Amino acid sequence: QVQVMESGGALVQAGGSLRLSCTASGLTFNAVPMGWFRQAPGKEREGVSSISNFGYTSTYSDSVKGRFTISRDNAKNTVYLQMNSLKPEDTDMYYCAVGRQWGSPSLLEADFVYWGQGTQVTVSS
């Protein structure tokens, strides 16, 4: 049974930083791309960043490019999202997702199979 669990969400002031973590179990972690998505109430889920199975390639949405960095530690079955220069518009529930085995990094929901419960990030102005 695959389990995905995020952590690290918090309330932070604009301009601050946070690091989200996501641990996945019950799968061959180094065989899957991982992604981060975010969603505000009443809005569609947005792809934020994704990373290939060994971490060689990654992709970012235009809204976070240059501010967020995705990384992974396959020995710990963990993916991270370092968020710097946070803005109030980054306030959302952030979700970690597991991609399809041997797939490529993607910002599309349909390319991800398993999802965590989410961790709340709130950026105050």
Side-chain angles (χ1 to χ4, degrees), residues 63-77:
S63 59
V64 307
K65 200 172 294 182
R67 299 187 298 123
F68 292 9
T69 303
I70 193 170
S71 62
R72 64 190 293 161
D73 184 340
N74 285 351
K76 296 181 179 179
N77 279 28

Side-chain angles (χ1 to χ4, degrees), residues 14-62:
S17 298
L18 276 178
R19 188 177 80 157
L20 305 183
S21 300
C22 168
T23 301
S25 60
L27 74 167
T28 304
F29 189 75
N30 64 11
V32 295
M34 297 292 294
W36 286 97
F37 290 74
R38 64 186 184 185
Q39 185 174 25
K43 293 188 176 181
E44 290 189 0
R45 194 169 293 187
E46 173 194 8
V48 175
S49 184
S50 180
I51 188 167
S52 61
N53 57 323
F54 287 117
Y56 295 144
T57 60
S58 57
T59 186
Y60 298 89
S61 67
D62 288 342

